[in-house]
Amino acid sequence: KLQFLYFIEMLYGKWRAFILTWLAYAGLYLTRKNVSAAKFRLQTEEMLSIQDLGMIDSWYLGAYAIGQIPCGVLVDTFGAKDILVAGLIGSAASSYLFGLAGGGGSSEALFMSVLFGFNGLFQATGWPSNVRVMSLWYHESGRGTVMGVWSTNYQIGGVIATVLAGYLISHYNWQTAFTVPAMIVFSIAILNAIFLSEGPDPEEDGSYSPIPSSPDSPSEKVTVSQYLTNIRVIQVSASYFFLKMLRYSLLFWLPYYLSTSYGIDSALAAYLSTSLEIGGFIGVICVGALSDNHPASFRPILSGYCLLLLSVALMLFSFNTSESLLIVYLPVMGFLLFGPDSLLVGAVGQDIGGSKGSGTVCSIINAIGSVGAFFQGYVTTALVTRFGWQYVFVFFSLTSMIASATLLCRYSKGAAASSPKESPVVVV
């Protein structure tokens, strides 16, 4: 009877953690993507220039990248729940204050940029804290499927954020696109503060140990510098640098590209661009489930294969002139992009760090990827200005190939030398 009650308690705890953390990260997209939907109104009503709008993006992306590793360390040191709740409240406050700003001018643009920069810092708490909670409740068995389904939060959250912000802007004003989502995120923070349990036992995880400091002391706490110099962390981070650069380039520029290159109406282009995320929704689930049919050390290899296929798809897409084929290319590219994206920064990071270091490892991977996201604006605009859109996709095809090779070269050797029963954090 006690075992049955324990089973029910664990099952309830897992589902509660899954739902609350899913809502938390999806909610953060409400205060992240709203600025993209509001840019046109900010330019026409607040007289902000394109450079001002770019400055707002840069402050956010820069702060988000800088905050990743410190937030990961804080999560693994002080616990995930408090950091997550604080991040949600801080992001809500930053977004709400942004909605109260206005008046135009360079000083107002700088004030908005600083506010959105603070939003980036608070948003940086989201991924490492949520991933740590998930690693405490869900261990290695079935992790690919669980994290794949869980990672639909940033596809669904992104779509909801765009639709909600667009509705509020068209029916009310641009300010409500920031104040209303802020109140929703604040409500999600309260839910997590009351109901979220960080784990069945935050201090113990018997599934396997993280990267040991020395062969004689596998339980000793691992430092950030040890993770930063670990070959697996370096490989995955390097690959994710190129992957996230591509994802954010498509996130910020795909509707614009569809309008200017194919002559599609801007509203229709925005809706058509969501087919990329629809393909990604399917991809994160399928790729995650497929990874569970193999040893955990196969996850990076599977990601490498997806990126190799993505490289081919991008190269073919660069030569596409048919509007009707867009509905084929975009979902396929989303499938091959978002599948490895969620795997590398989710299940793979958890495999490497274990329950005690998953927050730090995932934050390192996401931090390096966020640096790529920060530079995508300069890379994309430079290539479009000098060579045209075709060479943008040729460039990203080549970088996807590099990202694939980074994962496949060494992980293939490591997997070949390991047996299915060996832990992926032991075999290098």
Side-chain angles (χ1 to χ4, degrees):
K1 183 177 180 179
L2 289 176
Q3 288 181 337
F4 176 74
L5 292 175
Y6 177 73
F7 171 78
I8 295 298
E9 182 183 357
M10 285 291 293
L11 185 63
Y12 172 69
K14 285 184 175 185
W15 275 105
R16 185 174 60 182
F18 185 100
I19 293 171
L20 288 171
T21 56
W22 192 98
L23 282 174
Y25 203 72
L28 285 172
Y29 266 72
L30 300 181
T31 52
R32 179 184 303 189
K33 287 194 70 179
N34 48 2
V35 72
S36 298
K39 279 182 177 177
F40 181 75
R41 291 292 184 92
L42 288 171
Q43 186 177 34
T44 56
E45 295 181 13
E46 300 301 327
M47 301 304 174
L48 299 184
S49 66
I50 294 178
Q51 290 75 18
D52 292 332
L53 297 175
M55 180 171 64
I56 293 173
D57 287 342
S58 297
W59 273 74
Y60 172 84
L61 291 170
Y64 185 79
I66 293 171
Q68 283 295 316
I69 295 178
C71 287
V73 175
L74 288 173
V75 163
D76 286 334
T77 303
F78 299 105
K81 179 179 177 178
D82 292 341
I83 302 300
L84 173 61
V85 172
L88 288 167
I89 293 175
S91 179
S94 300
S95 181
Y96 194 88
L97 291 173
F98 192 101
L100 298 180
S106 57
S107 60
E108 196 65 33
L110 179 59
F111 178 64
M112 288 179 164
S113 297
V114 172
L115 281 176
F116 221 60
F118 276 111
N119 184 29
L121 283 176
F122 288 119
Q123 291 253 349
T125 65
W127 191 261
S129 56
N130 282 308
V131 167
R132 175 173 165 83
V133 172
M134 290 296 291
S135 70
L136 289 169
W137 281 105
Y138 297 90
H139 298 314
E140 182 182 324
S141 177
R143 177 175 286 163
T145 302
V146 171
M147 290 304 296
V149 176
W150 183 83
S151 294
T152 59
N153 49 30
Y154 63 88
Q155 282 96 43
I156 296 176
V159 172
I160 294 174
T162 302
V163 173
L164 176 62
Y167 176 84
L168 292 170
I169 291 169
S170 61
H171 287 78
Y172 300 98
N173 51 54
W174 71 262
Q175 288 89 345
T176 58
F178 294 89
T179 56
V180 173
M183 290 185 283
I184 296 174
V185 172
F186 181 78
S187 300
I188 294 174
I190 299 303
L191 285 175
N192 276 269
I194 297 172
F195 297 109
L196 181 63
S197 177
E198 185 162 338
D201 188 348
E203 298 302 323
E204 295 181 5
D205 179 15
S207 58
Y208 54 85
S209 299
I211 306 167
S213 313
S214 68
D216 298 324
S217 55
S219 62
E220 185 179 334
K221 183 174 178 62
V222 185
T223 63
V224 177
S225 61
Q226 288 173 294
Y227 283 125
L228 286 171
T229 56
N230 180 268
I231 184 61
R232 285 163 293 160
V233 177
I234 293 172
Q235 282 180 272
V236 175
S237 299
S239 180
Y240 199 61
F241 173 89
F242 294 111
L243 192 157
K244 198 163 186 177
M245 179 187 289
L246 168 60
R247 181 159 72 86
Y248 268 74
S249 180
L250 293 174
L251 177 70
F252 287 153
W253 293 101
L254 184 57
Y256 178 84
Y257 162 73
L258 295 175
S259 294
T260 56
S261 297
Y262 291 89
I264 301 174
D265 175 73
S266 58
L268 179 59
Y271 289 123
L272 182 58
S273 68
T274 60
S275 62
L276 183 83
E277 292 172 311
I278 293 172
F281 175 86
I282 300 172
V284 295
I285 297 175
C286 293
V287 173
L290 181 59
S291 74
D292 283 336
N293 294 324
H294 299 82
S297 56
F298 181 72
R299 293 193 229 272
I301 299 174
L302 177 60
S303 299
Y305 289 147
C306 288
L307 290 171
L308 186 61
L309 292 174
L310 177 62
S311 175
V312 175
L314 286 166
M315 186 62 73
L316 293 174
F317 184 69
S318 69
F319 293 97
N320 178 61
T321 57
S322 172
E323 185 177 328
S324 60
L325 287 178
L326 291 173
I327 200 64
V328 177
Y329 274 114
L330 294 179
V332 170
M333 288 161 53
F335 184 100
L336 297 171
L337 172 64
F338 283 95
D341 182 283
S342 66
L343 207 58
L344 291 178
V345 80
V348 173
Q350 290 174 327
D351 290 339
I352 296 174
S355 63
K356 295 181 180 179
S358 58
T360 300
V361 173
C362 290
S363 68
I364 291 172
I365 297 170
N366 204 19
I368 302 302
S370 297
V371 174
F374 176 80
F375 284 111
Q376 65 77 25
Y378 301 101
V379 172
T380 302
T381 53
L383 288 172
V384 171
T385 302
R386 294 190 177 188
F387 305 106
W389 277 106
Q390 180 180 8
Y391 287 90
V392 172
F393 294 104
V394 170
F395 170 80
F396 282 122
S397 174
L398 296 175
T399 57
S400 296
M401 191 177 298
I402 295 171
S404 172
T406 302
L407 293 172
L408 292 177
C409 63
R410 183 174 177 87
Y411 265 102
S412 295
K413 295 177 183 178
S418 63
S419 67
K421 294 182 180 180
E422 288 178 306
S423 168
V425 298
V426 176
V427 179
V428 180

